[in-house]
Amino acid sequence: MKLKQTIKLFSLLGLLSFGISGYAQTETELTHNAPTLQVGLDGLNFAKGTLDAELIMQIVAEKQKEVGLKLVQNMFLSKVNTAGGAFYSFTDNIIRGVVSERDINVITKKLLENTVNITFTYAFADYYIRTIQSEYLADFNSLAQCNSIKAISSNKNFTITDLKLGLRSLKQEAPLATLTEDVSLNPNITKMIALMADMSSEVIRNNATLKELGIMQVSYAQSYEYLNEYKKLELESPSDFAIAKRIYMSMEATLAQYTNMIGLLYYGLRANSYRLNVNNVLKNIGKTSVITSVADIQTKIGNVNSDLQIITANMQKLMQNSSDTTKFNRLYKAIAEIQQIKSYTSKAESYFNGISSIPVSTDSQALGINSDVVYTLYADIIPKLRSAGIWDSKADESVQRLEEICKFIYASYANDDTNMLKAHGSGANIEKFLSILSVAYQFDRANTFSNSVKLLSDLETIFPNERIKDALVFINAYIRDFVAVYKDTNGKEYIGVNVESLISRLSAVKSDKLRRGSVLFNVGVNTTYFPNELLLEDGSKITNFSFVSEKIGFKWKFFDKSFWQTRNPGETYTIGGTKYKKTATPSEPVISNMHAIVYGSGILYNIFNTGTTKNFNAPMIGTGLGISFFNSLDFNVTAGFPILRKGDSGKSGFIGFGFDFPFTEYIKRLSEKNRDKKNKELIAEVASSTKNL
């Protein structure tokens, strides 16, 4: 007897566990120090011992939800496991950040970092291919043809013109797939695109300037190293890796040239407020400057410092004569800012007094300093001086002088034939990379994130692989939908994440493969009929019994219309090993599936009688057939028997029917009911206390 009880106990524990687990006083002081990116039914009581019923129900519901989200996470990761380390890491970090993290600040940080990182990676890889230098074209073709990649045949060579579409130039080599073909199309093209993205990622991670800014410095799982196509090539084919290494070094040199002129890029793309076209900026900026030499800069910057002393003295007089507290405080703050400005412009004056020309072609260190001077003057000091103009008109004169300095420095580089600032080309697509890089000193700002989000849709079109596309489309969509830039009462922008809605959408995601079997954990109302009268312990007999209880067990679907009919056109899915592509518009059937179930009731919770019979509380085991409606309501016709303490359970069989719904909906409603009850009690208590006063 004890052996049977022990077996029963372990069987129930196994069933329960299965139900839960299913689912700047040196030159360097003039360089810009940028911020880092890495910034109901109350009668359903648990009566088996003294455990807290509500707590257990909440934990079970949470565990079910966690398992469901984990299944969604695994599905998305399986879709991008051929997209290379960079894209896999992006998907993993985004999904894991939402599913696993509890701190909203951590979730926001992960979304910000990873969105900026992947768009930067894509934009640079795409830019490099579009603008590839002729001396590296042969290596690029050799890499695409090598035995490890085989993206193109040995008799096919890309030309400079062929690559003007960047990464999409590679995608065009992939043939169109039919419904009977594998949705990955040409896996070798996918591998080549993944390789270029991973090389871009590694170049960015190892760039000294970007490393200080925190770009691509997020934590990576071991899967990044394992799936990184560039690192895999190093291990698997040294000869092919040697070709890739030459391309990698070319990418390093290209990026290094641009990261040394972030300030100049920022100025060049924004100096014309009505237009951001790169070519027009290159042609027009600097042409009207009255400065013709560094000696003119020395004079202008000296005049600015003299003006700042006068402005400070005038503002101090205004402050001393002011009886208005608000005005006094504003002047105090403005004077402090003027002092900070003068501290920087004094160092700039010392720097320019030490040089005789702008060495545009020979000195990369000078390029970095001059670029950062332009950025600091244009993005920081000039806006502050404009604000100070309300107190003293000399501030406006200083603004004009500083603008002239910026124009001269920028024109010195933009008009030099050997400098990349002039050679970077034109076009909206190239501008994507330059515009992202130009705000590298502002990656901690909300508007930078917004600009990155705008590029997310580009990621969806670069891989000739429907599974990768499906995953990226979904992830990019929920970033756009649930992550937004807001303004607080002081007008400061911040990034907000609607985590609840985001998780809700994740929970509603369907697998791309139909899984007919699933764990059953429902609650509902049931009616049973005993063909043979059931003798109860008190001597009474029953033939009909209505009750509320749980059903825990297993569900097998014969068909599931909701699996495919609710999908959007173009989505791919698999049923029984056969792959399909949805072509019709989505619809939601009233009856979503037909199924069979095997279950137990009264195992975790007492059976709650809804009729006149109050003495029956035996667990039940049953099986049945049923249908599920669009709103997750199940109707089942069942047969089974109760597990009686006395008598022959096998002769006490029943037939019945019932309506059930997921346990998670029950616990949600129960929590809402208890919360409302507590709120009413609190209101009543406050009202009573107020009345007594």
Side-chain angles (χ1 to χ4, degrees):
M1 188 65 179
K2 290 183 178 180
L3 178 60
K4 290 183 178 180
Q5 291 176 337
T6 302
I7 293 173
K8 178 181 177 182
L9 175 61
F10 277 101
S11 298
L12 292 176
L13 288 174
L15 182 59
L16 175 60
S17 64
F18 181 70
I20 293 175
S21 62
Y23 294 120
Q25 302 310 359
T26 65
E27 290 181 357
T28 58
E29 291 177 317
L30 292 171
T31 59
H32 183 73
N33 295 318
T36 177
L37 174 62
Q38 298 183 291
V39 279
L41 292 166
D42 295 333
L44 274 175
N45 294 321
F46 198 98
K48 315 291 184 179
T50 58
L51 299 177
D52 188 317
E54 183 175 343
L55 178 59
I56 289 180
M57 288 188 291
Q58 289 175 341
I59 292 174
V60 170
E62 289 172 0
K63 295 299 182 182
Q64 280 192 308
K65 189 173 185 178
E66 289 171 359
V67 172
L69 289 172
K70 178 59 68 174
L71 290 173
V72 172
Q73 177 183 341
N74 292 342
M75 180 190 72
F76 280 120
L77 293 180
S78 69
K79 288 185 174 185
V80 296
N81 61 4
T82 60
F87 278 92
Y88 185 94
S89 181
F90 165 69
T91 306
D92 190 19
N93 286 342
I94 293 293
I95 298 293
R96 192 188 304 277
V98 175
V99 173
S100 305
E101 295 294 342
R102 295 293 181 267
D103 190 332
I104 184 65
N105 294 319
V106 175
I107 295 175
T108 303
K109 181 174 182 290
K110 284 182 175 290
L111 289 170
L112 169 62
E113 289 178 339
N114 286 280
T115 300
V116 171
N117 286 342
I118 196 65
T119 53
F120 198 108
T121 297
Y122 151 72
F124 178 57
D126 194 64
Y127 172 81
Y128 178 82
I129 295 175
R130 293 177 192 279
T131 61
I132 191 168
Q133 301 299 301
S134 57
E135 59 263 38
Y136 294 104
L137 183 60
D139 283 335
F140 185 85
N141 283 315
S142 296
L143 184 61
Q145 297 164 353
C146 72
N147 290 329
S148 301
I149 306 297
K150 295 182 178 179
I152 56 175
S153 61
S154 58
N155 60 356
K156 163 70 178 178
N157 284 304
F158 288 110
T159 66
I160 296 294
T161 302
D162 291 336
L163 297 177
K164 287 302 180 181
L165 292 178
L167 288 170
R168 290 175 186 78
S169 303
L170 303 178
K171 181 183 176 182
Q172 288 186 344
E173 292 302 307
L176 295 175
T178 66
L179 285 177
T180 59
E181 292 178 322
D182 192 289
V183 293
S184 64
L185 302 176
N186 187 340
N188 298 333
I189 293 293
T190 296
K191 191 172 185 178
M192 182 66 180
I193 295 172
L195 173 60
M196 294 306 299
D198 286 346
M199 290 171 66
S200 174
S201 172
E202 286 299 296
V203 169
I204 294 168
R205 288 182 73 193
N206 294 305
N207 180 275
T209 300
L210 298 180
K211 185 178 291 188
E212 290 180 2
L213 299 175
I215 310 301
M216 296 300 294
Q217 303 304 310
V218 297
S219 59
Y220 293 92
Q222 290 182 346
S223 54
Y224 171 79
E225 302 290 334
Y226 177 75
L227 294 173
N228 187 291
E229 293 293 342
Y230 181 63
K231 293 181 177 292
K232 285 168 62 177
L233 200 62
E234 182 177 15
L235 296 174
E236 298 171 359
S237 179
S239 59
D240 292 342
F241 177 74
I243 302 173
K245 183 67 175 179
R246 293 196 292 270
I247 298 293
Y248 178 89
M249 294 175 66
S250 170
M251 296 176 75
E252 272 191 320
T254 300
L255 185 61
Q257 287 178 306
Y258 284 124
T259 56
N260 208 23
M261 59 174 70
I262 293 173
L264 292 172
L265 287 171
Y266 181 89
Y267 176 81
L269 289 171
R270 286 157 184 80
N272 282 351
S273 60
Y274 64 93
R275 171 179 299 183
L276 297 182
N277 182 275
V278 176
N279 271 345
N280 287 336
V281 171
L282 289 175
K283 293 176 181 178
N284 298 323
I285 297 300
K287 295 296 181 63
T288 60
S289 175
V290 297
I291 296 178
T292 60
S293 66
V294 171
D296 292 334
I297 294 180
Q298 296 166 355
T299 301
K300 295 287 185 181
I301 197 74
N303 292 338
V304 168
N305 285 324
S306 298
D307 286 346
L308 291 175
Q309 288 181 320
I310 297 172
I311 293 170
T312 301
N314 291 340
M315 293 172 68
Q316 287 173 339
K317 291 179 182 179
L318 289 173
M319 190 170 65
Q320 292 170 0
N321 296 329
S322 177
S323 58
D324 186 325
T325 303
T326 301
K327 181 179 179 180
F328 182 94
N329 292 334
R330 290 176 62 192
L331 282 164
Y332 182 85
K333 181 180 179 180
I335 290 172
E337 285 191 340
I338 294 297
Q339 293 303 310
Q340 292 176 354
I341 291 172
K342 190 174 185 306
S343 175
Y344 185 87
T345 54
S346 294
K347 295 167 188 174
E349 182 179 10
S350 298
Y351 167 69
F352 287 116
N353 285 340
I355 62 175
S356 59
S357 64
I358 303 295
V360 294
S361 306
T362 59
D363 194 334
S364 61
Q365 182 180 6
L367 169 60
I369 295 173
N370 293 332
S371 178
D372 282 1
V373 167
V374 170
Y375 177 85
T376 304
L377 294 180
Y378 185 76
D380 186 21
I381 290 177
I382 288 176
K384 291 179 179 178
L385 277 176
R386 284 200 176 103
S387 298
I390 64 173
W391 308 110
D392 196 315
S393 60
K394 276 194 171 296
D396 295 330
E397 296 175 12
S398 294
V399 166
Q400 184 178 356
R401 293 188 179 104
L402 294 178
E403 286 179 335
E404 291 170 356
I405 292 173
C406 290
K407 289 179 181 180
F408 176 77
I409 297 175
Y410 181 88
S412 297
Y413 288 100
N415 295 330
D416 181 73
D417 291 334
T418 63
N419 191 272
M420 287 291 290
L421 192 63
K422 183 176 183 178
H424 62 57
S426 63
N429 292 307
I430 293 177
E431 190 177 315
K432 292 176 183 178
F433 166 63
L434 297 178
S435 62
I436 292 176
L437 184 59
S438 72
V439 293
Y441 290 155
Q442 299 178 357
F443 275 153
D444 63 331
R445 299 187 184 181
N447 62 337
T448 301
F449 174 77
S450 297
N451 292 333
S452 294
V453 169
K454 293 176 183 178
L455 288 178
L456 283 175
S457 59
D458 289 359
L459 307 183
E460 303 163 5
T461 61
I462 61 175
F463 283 102
N465 183 306
E466 292 294 334
R467 287 172 55 79
I468 298 175
K469 178 182 177 179
D470 286 347
L472 294 177
V473 165
F474 179 85
I475 293 173
N476 297 344
Y478 87 57
I479 292 176
R480 289 191 294 262
D481 292 346
F482 300 122
V483 186
V485 177
Y486 304 93
K487 288 185 178 182
D488 60 19
T489 55
N490 296 319
K492 184 178 180 180
E493 291 183 330
Y494 68 93
I495 298 172
V497 182
N498 189 336
V499 178
E500 292 78 10
S501 297
L502 195 153
I503 293 179
S504 177
R505 178 177 288 189
L506 274 178
S507 301
V509 171
K510 291 183 175 65
S511 171
D512 59 345
K513 295 181 180 179
L514 177 61
R515 292 178 171 84
R516 298 186 183 275
S518 63
V519 172
L520 176 69
F521 195 179
N522 284 1
V523 293
V525 180
N526 304 272
T527 297
T528 61
Y529 168 70
F530 294 92
N532 299 317
E533 289 184 326
L534 179 64
L535 181 62
L536 304 181
E537 292 183 3
D538 63 354
S540 61
K541 298 179 180 180
I542 62 172
T543 56
N544 296 295
F545 181 55
S546 297
F547 63 97
V548 171
S549 185
E550 89 281 13
K551 282 187 177 71
I552 301 177
F554 183 75
K555 176 188 284 189
W556 179 265
K557 300 175 184 177
F558 297 111
F559 67 84
D560 186 355
K561 290 184 178 181
S562 65
F563 175 74
W564 73 84
Q565 288 190 5
T566 56
R567 294 179 181 273
N568 293 315
E571 285 193 56
T572 58
Y573 55 92
T574 302
I575 300 178
T578 303
K579 295 174 181 176
Y580 300 89
K581 189 172 186 177
K582 184 74 183 302
T583 57
T585 56
S587 63
E588 189 167 34
V590 176
I591 297 176
S592 62
N593 69 67
M594 182 176 180
H595 56 258
I597 60 172
V598 178
Y599 68 93
S601 293
I603 297 174
L604 295 180
Y605 307 97
N606 286 326
I607 289 177
F608 181 79
N609 304 289
T610 61
T612 58
T613 302
K614 302 298 182 183
N615 296 324
F616 180 76
N617 193 25
M620 296 180 176
I621 293 178
T623 185
L625 297 173
I627 58 175
S628 296
F629 295 96
F630 69 97
N631 57 355
S632 300
L633 177 68
D634 287 3
F635 173 75
N636 297 303
V637 177
T638 59
F641 57 87
I643 303 175
L644 302 175
R645 294 183 182 180
K646 298 179 181 180
D648 191 347
S649 297
K651 294 181 180 180
S652 305
F654 67 84
I655 57 175
F657 66 91
F659 289 92
D660 307 306
F661 55 89
F663 177 80
T664 51
E665 292 191 22
Y666 163 73
I667 193 63
K668 180 181 179 181
R669 290 290 189 91
L670 181 61
S671 298
E672 291 174 352
K673 178 182 176 181
N674 291 338
R675 183 173 62 250
D676 291 342
K677 183 178 179 181
K678 291 179 181 179
N679 289 339
K680 290 178 181 178
E681 291 175 350
L682 181 60
I683 292 172
E685 183 180 347
V686 173
S688 178
S689 300
T690 304
K691 184 177 180 181
N692 292 334
L693 291 176

